[in-house]
């Protein structure tokens, strides 16, 4: 794979940066895959816009930030509005279907998935805080060369003790949301 | 007293640069006598001073000595003590160095109760730079920067150190070298943050400008206004007006900072090996 | 530890790993975005190895504290960002004057003043050189990746110990906060330098600031019986103040000389040049990454371009850049500031090559496309 | 209080003639000269060491009588 760029965006406190870290860290044992994870956030740890970026490549990664996303995840109206156009013509866009109020028109080549990320976390998992893992699961479906097993292992090591199973479930639920739509 | 103070002084750096009648030399003399009585190891002792007349004290003392930036002696001292808690660490500072620009460090060193002994030379003025008022210049007094009388309030440094958490607080004066020696010795032997304020006269830039007079007159003033702490405590507030208490003002036993950190290291390292 | 380990780390965390690997046993500092992770890492790791961490009351105190620790024998480090770096300057100058080895990390954010606390900048390049008052030597290093941050932290400690000087490690927010995979080599594969110390028997004839042949006097730990004096005043070899002009000049010459006589050892850089370049992009820190990307892109179009990465910012690589300027038509200097290091490049390239800058100072990065445009515009 | 000896001008060159020793001497042993302190009435000295301890310049020392 040459360069593959992922942007995870939402509001501060939604855990998108943690999702980005988990994506990046799940490549640790894959010697052939390079990764750079960056983030952008305001000075406060809750609220405000927040985004994590992960760039994957089998070659050396020079520029560390997303230039044009191959994959965009947006949890808020603000995020989709801000980054929705900054994507490749063949990009995948995943957006929350219930919490986004925006008349979004992706280009013709874009695969657009409007899915209930936050409500899946609330209703299916019973823990709103796992919305980031639902998003991560959905996103992981499209990123080449990632191992689900490694991601689940990384989730277990990165989320608060005691919430490992809920987070893993959330990840799987997210993945299911898009794979069902895709098939 | 029967001590040979010569070994604690860098003879080749003396006579010192302090003005005739300056009380700093008396404080310095009291310090070396107190140090001798303390029984502490000269080779394991570091003296750190800041800027101003008091700052020059370290250069005259035969220890590892460090003459640092204005007001920051306690920060360097904290580094020395933390890096090697076996060392005796002494800070020499003044009322400008220690109470104005370095006031924050005084508060926080007190709060940590780190085992450092501070000797603060309080001459109520910025002497070296020519007589500007300091936080210890009494309200109403004249200085080159308060030509119409100082409108600032001076404060009680011993109360400040005590309320900030210092576990040894005392005040000595150049008119009472014997008491000052005893006080400093107790301060040196105290485990924890020891703050010793010493009243010292600046005849050139404070005494003469404020009509107190020369060195001898300033000592007379001390004689008339100093009261031992125990007596002071028993006095009515009205009686205390204008008087200054001397001696040990506060001493409590409390766990010392580098000891606490040693516990952190021990706990962490024990936890590591258990894994 | 005898085998390497691979981790996903932030640049800030790599400072901690590099510091621990270099033998750091003391950290003092004050929390500040985007450098706080460095303090947090040392707070956790130092006591595991018997080292010391202390959070001071302010930035000034953090700097004073590490100098005190250094004189007591510690390998000491502090970390900050722009506002804190400003506050540390006076005590940084003191460290230079008393020749106390230590490492000062500045994870640069956009300034002046509070600026943009969470956005990257390379705005403190000149402050690193001239921030403290008066003439003085300084060493400043700047990594462009997480892995390089580890390496240059080790180098920073080694240079500090070897030359008895504070070494400034200039990260920027991007390098400080980005995560990359990094393989940490086994401890026995790292070269670690420790300061020269006098022998106890040297005590009788000991001059703490003697002009030794290498201009770097041996440095005793406090408490080992040398009972010596150090001061921020100009001093002679005894360490005591001397206000005389010839002594002042002698001390300044020695302080500068110990660095200037060893530029080959201190200046680290990398290049990718074929020898026939028309244009070279000279960069440092995170900006290097866009330079490399852009050069690779334009080479595919047949443009004769190359890149140079400066890992040592100060002392500036005068000789190298002078020779480079003789060989190429143009040098492009991308910087996340309004043009700081470009002044040095222009100074040494004057009359030899054209020098142009690419500058961003709004908290966003210079992209490869920005650099490509500048390269193509030059042709 | 040690009363083992009498005052001596141990380091005459360091004296800055501030007169503090005269102020603290209970028995009028010392007098100011032009450039340094002088012992005017050694016979009065009771060896109290007030002068030695107060002298800011380390000039005076109380020593054994026979020294």
């Amino acid at each position: 794979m040459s360069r593959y760029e992922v942007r995870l965006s939402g509001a501060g406190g939604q855990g998108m940066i943690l999702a980005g870290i988990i994506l990046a860290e799940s490549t640790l044992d894959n010697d052939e895959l390079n990764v750079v994870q960056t983030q952008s956030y305001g000075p406060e740890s809750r609220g405000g816009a927040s985004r994590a970026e992960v760039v994957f490549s089998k070659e050396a990664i020079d520029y560390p930030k997303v230039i044009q996303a191959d994959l965009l995840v947006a949890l808020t109206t603000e995020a989709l509005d801000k980054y929705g156009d900054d994507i490749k013509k063949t990009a995948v866009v995943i957006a929350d279907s219930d919490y986004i109020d925006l008349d979004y028109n992706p280009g013709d080549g874009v695969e657009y998935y409007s899915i209930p990320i936050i409500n899946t976390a609330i209703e299916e998992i019973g823990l709103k805080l796992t919305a980031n893992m639902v998003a991560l699961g959905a996103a992981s479906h499209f990123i080449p060369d990632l191992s689900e097993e490694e991601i689940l292992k990384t989730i277990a090591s990165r989320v608060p003790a005691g919430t490992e199973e809920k987070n893993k479930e959330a990840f799987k639920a997210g993945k299911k949301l898009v794979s069902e739509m895709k098939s | 007293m029967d001590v040979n103070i010569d070994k604690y002084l860098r003879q080749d750096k003396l006579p010192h640069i302090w003005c005739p009648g300056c009380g700093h030399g008396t404080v310095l003399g009291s310090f070396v006598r107190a140090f001798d009585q303390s029984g502490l190891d000269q080779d394991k002792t570091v003296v750190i001073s800041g800027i101003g007349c008091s700052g020059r004290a370290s250069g005259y003392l035969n220890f590892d000595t460090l003459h640092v930036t204005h007001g920051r002696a306690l920060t360097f001292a904290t580094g020395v003590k933390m890096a090697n808690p076996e060392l005796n660490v002494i800070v020499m500072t003044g009322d400008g160095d220690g109470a104005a620009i370095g006031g924050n460090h005084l508060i926080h060193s007190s709060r940590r109760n780190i085992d450092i002994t501070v000797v603060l030379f309080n001459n109520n003025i910025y002497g070296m730079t020519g007589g500007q008022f300091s936080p210890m210049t009494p309200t109403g007094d004249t200085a080159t920067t308060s030509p119409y009388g100082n409108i600032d309030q001076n404060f009680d440094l011993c109360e400040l150190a005590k309320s900030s958490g210092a576990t040894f607080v005392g005040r000595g004066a150049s008119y009472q070298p014997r008491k000052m020696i005893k006080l400093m010795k107790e301060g040196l032997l105290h485990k924890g943050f020891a703050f010793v304020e010493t009243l010292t006269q600046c005849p050139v830039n404070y005494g003469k400008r404020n009509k107190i007079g020369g060195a001898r007159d300033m000592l007379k003033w001390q004689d008339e206004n100093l009261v031992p702490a125990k007596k002071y405590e028993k006095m009515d507030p009205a009686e205390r007006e204008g008087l200054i208490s001397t001696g040990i003002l506060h001493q409590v036993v409390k766990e010392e900072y580098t000891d606490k950190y040693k516990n952190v290291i021990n706990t962490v390292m024990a936890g590591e090996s258990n894994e | 530890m005898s085998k390497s380990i691979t981790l996903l780390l932030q640049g800030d965390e790599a400072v901690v790993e590099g510091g621990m690997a270099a033998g750091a046993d003391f950290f003092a500092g004050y929390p500040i975005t985007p450098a706080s992770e460095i303090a947090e890492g040392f707070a956790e790791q130092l006591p595991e190895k018997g080292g010391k961490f202390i959070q001071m009351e302010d930035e000034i105190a953090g700097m004073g504290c590490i100098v005190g620790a250094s004189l007591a024998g510690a390998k000491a480090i502090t970390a900050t960002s722009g506002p804190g770096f400003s506050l540390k300057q006076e005590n940084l100058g003191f460290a230079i004057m008393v020749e106390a080895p230590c490492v000062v990390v500045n994870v640069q954010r956009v300034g002046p003043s509070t600026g943009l606390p969470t956005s990257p900048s390379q705005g403190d390049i000149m402050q690193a050189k001239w921030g403290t008052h008066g003439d003085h030597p300084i060493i400043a290093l700047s990594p462009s990746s997480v892995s390089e941050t580890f390496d240059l932290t080790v180098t920073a400690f080694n240079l500090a110990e070897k030359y008895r000087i504070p070494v400034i490690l200039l990260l920027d927010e991007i390098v400080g906060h980005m995560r990359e995979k990094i393989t940490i080599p086994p401890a026995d594969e790292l070269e670690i330098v420790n300061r020269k110390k006098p022998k106890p028997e040297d005590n009788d004839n000991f001059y703490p600031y003697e002009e030794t042949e290498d201009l770097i006097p041996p440095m005793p730990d406090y408490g080992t019986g040398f009972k010596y004096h150090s001061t921020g005043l100009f001093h002679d070899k005894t360490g005591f103040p001397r206000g005389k002009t010839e002594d002042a000049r002698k001390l300044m010459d020695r302080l500068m000389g110990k660095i200037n006589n060893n530029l080959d050892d201190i200046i680290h850089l990398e290049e990718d040049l074929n020898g026939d370049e028309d244009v070279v992009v000279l960069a440092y820190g995170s900006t290097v990454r866009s330079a490399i990307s852009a050069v690779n892109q334009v080479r595919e179009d047949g443009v004769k371009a190359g890149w140079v990465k400066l890992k040592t910012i100060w002392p500036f690589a005068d000789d190298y850049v002078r020779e480079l300027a003789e060989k190429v038509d143009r040098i492009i200097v991308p910087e996340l500031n309004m043009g700081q290091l470009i002044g040095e490049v222009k100074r040494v390239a004057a009359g030899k090559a054209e020098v142009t800058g690419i500058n961003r100072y709004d908290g966003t990065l210079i992209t490869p496309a920005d650099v490509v445009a500048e390269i193509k515009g030059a042709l | 209080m040690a009363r083992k000896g009498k005052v001596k001008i141990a380091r005459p060159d360091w004296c800055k003639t501030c007169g503090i020793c005269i102020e603290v001497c209970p028995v009028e042993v010392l007098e100011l000269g032009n450039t340094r302190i002088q012992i005017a009435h050694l016979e009065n000295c009771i060896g109290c060491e007030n002068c030695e301890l107060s002298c800011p310049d380390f000039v005076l020392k109380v020593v054994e009588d026979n020294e």
Side-chain angles (χ1 to χ4, degrees):
Chain A
M1 148 173 97
S2 57
R3 199 173 164 103
Y4 190 88
E5 302 186 338
V6 179
R7 178 175 277 149
L8 308 170
S9 58
Q14 285 183 323
M16 297 313 269
I17 291 175
L18 178 62
I21 294 170
I22 290 171
L23 269 187
E25 200 168 54
S26 69
T27 68
L28 253 191
D29 292 335
N30 184 346
D31 293 341
E32 299 195 339
L33 198 55
N34 293 308
V35 65
V36 181
Q37 184 271 325
T38 59
Q39 59 253 306
S40 166
Y41 57 94
E44 64 283 89
S45 60
R46 292 289 176 272
S50 161
R51 73 172 197 260
E53 299 185 350
V54 190
V55 178
F56 301 91
S57 178
K58 287 193 173 161
E59 285 150 32
I61 299 168
D62 300 319
Y63 188 64
K65 307 284 285 183
V66 167
I67 299 166
Q68 271 194 322
D70 293 278
L71 172 62
L72 169 68
V73 177
L75 292 192
T76 62
T77 305
E78 189 194 356
L80 186 61
D81 190 32
K82 197 167 174 192
Y83 305 117
D85 297 329
D86 208 3
I87 54 173
K88 287 205 177 77
K89 284 184 179 135
T90 55
V92 173
V93 175
I94 302 169
D96 191 281
S97 52
D98 306 323
Y99 284 76
I100 291 179
D101 179 21
L102 183 75
D103 187 15
Y104 177 62
N105 284 317
D108 284 346
V110 173
E111 282 185 56
Y112 180 48
Y113 298 89
S114 179
I115 54 171
I117 297 170
I118 295 168
N119 278 341
T120 299
I122 295 170
E123 287 156 19
E124 206 170 310
I125 311 302
L127 194 61
K128 191 181 178 186
L129 276 174
T130 62
N132 60 340
M133 293 299 114
V134 177
L136 180 65
S140 73
H141 185 72
F142 301 95
I143 305 170
D145 299 313
L146 286 191
S147 143
E148 179 170 333
E149 191 190 336
E150 288 296 327
I151 297 176
L152 289 171
K153 215 168 81 183
T154 312
I155 289 173
S157 72
R158 280 276 183 178
V159 299
T163 68
E164 294 92 339
E165 287 314 310
K166 290 250 180 225
N167 277 291
K168 285 192 212 172
E169 268 177 57
F171 172 86
K172 288 174 186 163
K175 194 162 183 176
K176 202 169 142 206
L177 281 177
V178 288
S179 60
E180 279 176 355
M181 284 179 78
K182 224 187 162 187
S183 53
Chain B
M1 289 282 160
D2 196 29
V3 303
N4 183 4
I5 59 173
D6 293 359
K7 68 173 172 172
Y8 303 112
L9 294 170
R10 288 173 171 144
Q11 307 280 321
D12 58 333
K13 302 299 166 198
L14 293 167
H16 52 63
I17 65 160
W18 293 320
C19 301
C22 170
H24 283 27
T26 312
V27 177
L28 191 73
S30 299
F31 170 76
V32 291
R33 291 176 177 101
F35 188 86
D36 185 72
Q37 290 179 25
S38 74
L40 297 173
D41 184 348
Q42 187 177 3
D43 279 351
K44 297 283 179 199
T45 300
V46 185
V47 180
I48 301 170
S49 63
I51 296 295
C53 295
S54 67
R56 295 308 178 104
S58 64
Y60 303 123
L61 291 166
N62 193 24
F63 301 89
D64 282 322
T65 52
L66 185 63
H67 176 212
V68 303
T69 48
H70 193 25
R72 316 301 172 195
L74 271 166
T75 73
F76 290 82
T78 300
V80 171
K81 185 70 187 181
M82 268 298 268
N84 185 357
E86 305 301 311
L87 298 174
N88 313 304
V89 181
I90 293 143
V91 163
M92 304 232 157
T93 183
D95 48 314
D97 192 64
I101 187 167
N104 198 33
H105 309 307
L106 178 60
I107 294 170
H108 289 276
S109 304
S110 296
R111 175 176 63 82
R112 291 188 193 100
N113 191 33
I114 189 164
D115 189 21
I116 293 169
T117 304
V118 175
V119 175
L120 186 140
F121 296 64
N122 176 12
N123 61 3
N124 309 96
I125 201 80
Y126 285 90
M128 185 163 274
T129 48
Q132 300 79 17
F133 71 86
S134 89
M136 300 306 293
T137 304
T139 306
D141 279 0
T142 306
T144 59
T145 45
S146 60
Y148 310 112
N150 179 23
I151 61 168
D152 282 30
Q153 277 187 62
N154 55 317
F155 61 150
D156 185 329
L157 279 175
C158 288
E159 283 298 326
L160 179 76
K162 180 184 163 187
S163 60
S164 303
T167 48
F168 182 99
V169 177
R171 188 183 287 120
S174 54
Y175 184 67
Q176 303 173 336
R178 276 190 182 80
K179 288 183 177 172
M180 185 156 58
I181 292 165
K182 192 163 172 286
L183 177 68
M184 285 182 181
K185 179 190 159 192
E186 296 297 324
L188 285 166
L189 292 174
H190 176 78
K191 179 88 174 164
F193 191 77
F195 178 76
V196 177
E197 178 188 1
T198 64
L199 307 180
T200 152
Q201 68 280 6
C202 176
V204 175
N205 276 317
Y206 180 70
K208 285 177 188 153
R209 185 172 283 123
N210 284 290
K211 314 266 183 309
I212 302 171
R216 294 172 69 173
D217 302 309
M218 294 181 83
L219 290 179
K220 274 183 205 146
W221 182 92
Q222 282 192 12
D223 187 27
E224 287 157 13
N225 292 284
L226 298 179
V227 183
K230 275 181 190 150
K231 188 176 167 195
Y232 188 86
E233 273 166 29
K234 288 175 193 150
M235 293 166 84
D236 296 333
E239 278 182 289
R240 291 177 182 172
E241 187 62 37
L243 301 179
I244 300 170
S245 59
T246 59
I248 297 176
L249 306 178
H250 171 69
Q251 186 170 19
V252 291
V253 178
K254 215 171 171 186
E255 197 174 10
E256 189 271 333
Y257 191 79
T258 60
D259 279 350
K260 281 190 184 174
Y261 198 82
K262 214 176 283 170
N263 289 341
V264 171
I265 291 176
N266 291 341
T267 309
V268 172
M269 288 179 93
E272 289 289 295
S273 60
N274 287 343
E275 273 172 12
Chain C
M1 184 171 78
S2 60
K3 65 179 201 309
S4 59
I5 49 163
T6 301
L7 301 166
L8 183 82
L9 290 184
Q10 288 190 307
D12 281 358
E13 293 167 334
V15 170
V16 179
E17 296 296 331
M20 295 305 293
D25 54 8
F26 197 95
F27 180 100
Y30 187 83
I32 184 168
T33 302
S36 293
E37 291 88 346
I38 300 174
E40 289 163 0
F42 278 116
E44 188 174 339
Q45 293 204 27
L46 279 168
E48 292 174 356
K49 300 273 185 282
K52 317 282 172 62
F53 169 91
I54 184 167
Q55 180 169 311
M56 296 299 286
E57 55 272 22
D58 60 33
E59 295 277 5
I60 297 169
M63 188 65 215
C65 195
I66 65 162
V67 175
S70 173
L71 292 163
K75 276 193 177 179
I77 179 169
T78 187
T80 187
S81 186
F85 195 53
S86 295
L87 285 166
K88 288 187 188 307
Q89 293 300 331
E90 188 193 10
N91 282 344
L92 181 68
F94 182 83
I96 293 166
M97 197 66 152
V98 302
E99 299 174 70
C102 55
V103 175
V104 179
V105 186
N106 174 6
V107 187
Q108 298 166 91
R109 64 192 230 188
V110 182
S113 190
T114 314
L116 296 171
T118 59
S119 298
S121 161
Q122 295 174 319
D124 306 344
I125 297 298
M126 281 297 162
Q127 191 188 18
K129 181 158 174 66
W130 296 119
T132 198
H133 56 282
D135 288 306
H136 53 271
I138 198 72
I139 298 175
L141 312 176
S142 190
S144 61
S145 70
V146 171
S147 194
E148 209 166 85
T149 301
F150 176 91
D151 296 342
L152 288 188
T153 305
V154 176
T155 305
F157 272 102
N158 285 349
L159 293 175
E161 291 284 318
K162 190 168 176 183
Y163 297 108
R164 285 192 64 177
I165 189 171
V167 175
I168 296 166
L169 193 59
L170 288 170
L171 277 62
D172 53 59
E173 190 274 341
I174 281 293
V175 172
H177 275 167
M178 76 182 174
R179 291 181 175 82
E180 287 184 298
K181 284 197 254 186
I182 163 179
T183 300
I184 295 175
D188 49 17
E189 278 179 21
L190 288 170
E191 192 207 343
I192 302 299
V193 180
N194 294 310
R195 68 192 70 164
K196 248 184 330 181
K197 291 181 187 178
K199 298 182 190 78
E201 60 267 30
D202 298 338
N203 204 341
D204 290 343
N205 260 323
F206 178 70
Y207 295 105
Y209 293 96
E210 190 168 17
E211 190 166 315
T212 53
E213 203 177 327
D214 63 1
L215 306 183
I216 309 154
M219 178 178 169
D221 293 350
Y222 280 166
T224 54
F226 286 86
K227 296 198 282 288
Y228 75 103
H229 187 64
S230 300
T231 174
L233 289 161
F234 270 94
H235 46 272
D236 63 14
K237 67 177 180 180
T238 65
F240 286 94
R242 290 272 282 193
K244 291 196 175 150
T245 51
E246 67 266 34
D247 289 307
R249 194 173 59 236
K250 220 169 138 182
L251 176 59
M252 271 309 292
D253 287 346
R254 182 173 68 72
L255 292 177
M256 297 304 292
K258 70 180 180 180
I259 301 307
N260 289 337
N261 294 351
N262 295 289
L263 294 179
D264 287 347
D265 185 45
I266 297 168
I267 294 175
H268 298 250
L269 55 85
E270 278 175 34
E271 58 175 34
D272 181 0
L273 302 174
N274 295 317
D276 61 350
E277 274 74 18
D278 295 322
V279 55
V280 165
V281 185
L282 185 143
Y284 56 91
S286 65
T287 311
V288 165
R289 306 174 73 111
S290 297
I292 293 175
S293 180
V295 166
N296 290 341
Q297 282 177 47
V298 298
R299 276 177 175 173
E300 284 178 14
D301 300 337
V303 177
K304 288 176 180 168
W307 56 261
V308 173
K309 161 166 61 172
L310 293 182
K311 295 200 238 178
T312 302
I313 306 290
W314 306 115
F316 187 69
D318 274 30
D319 292 346
Y320 176 86
V321 175
R322 192 177 293 115
E323 280 174 36
L324 179 72
E326 280 164 5
K327 290 186 285 197
V328 303
D329 297 336
R330 176 147 167 181
I331 300 173
I332 297 170
V333 186
E335 296 184 88
L336 298 178
N337 56 46
M338 298 182 88
Q340 297 198 7
L341 205 64
I342 193 173
E344 298 298 298
V345 181
K346 281 182 175 166
R347 175 175 59 78
V348 291
K352 300 185 185 79
E354 196 187 344
V355 179
T356 57
I358 309 171
N359 304 94
R360 281 209 86 137
Y361 36 89
D362 55 2
T364 37
L365 290 183
I366 293 167
T367 63
D370 296 335
V371 184
V372 167
E374 183 68 16
I375 293 173
K376 294 205 165 164
L379 299 172
Chain D
M1 212 176 284
R3 293 177 194 260
K4 61 184 168 57
K6 288 181 183 293
V7 68
K8 175 188 154 184
I9 302 177
R11 296 187 185 93
D13 295 345
W14 292 3
C15 179
K16 293 173 185 163
T17 62
C18 67
I20 285 176
C21 52
I22 299 171
E23 187 63 34
V24 299
C25 176
V27 286
E28 295 181 5
V29 174
L30 300 150
E31 272 178 14
L32 272 189
N34 285 333
T35 58
R36 63 185 55 154
I37 196 74
Q38 291 173 348
I39 297 174
H41 304 287
L42 187 63
E43 69 282 3
N44 289 353
C45 182
I46 55 170
C48 74
E49 294 181 337
N50 278 3
C51 58
E52 179 179 341
L53 297 178
S54 292
C55 173
D57 294 283
F58 309 103
V59 173
L60 300 167
K61 213 172 166 78
V62 173
V63 295
E64 299 278 344
D65 285 342
N66 57 4
E67 220 175 274

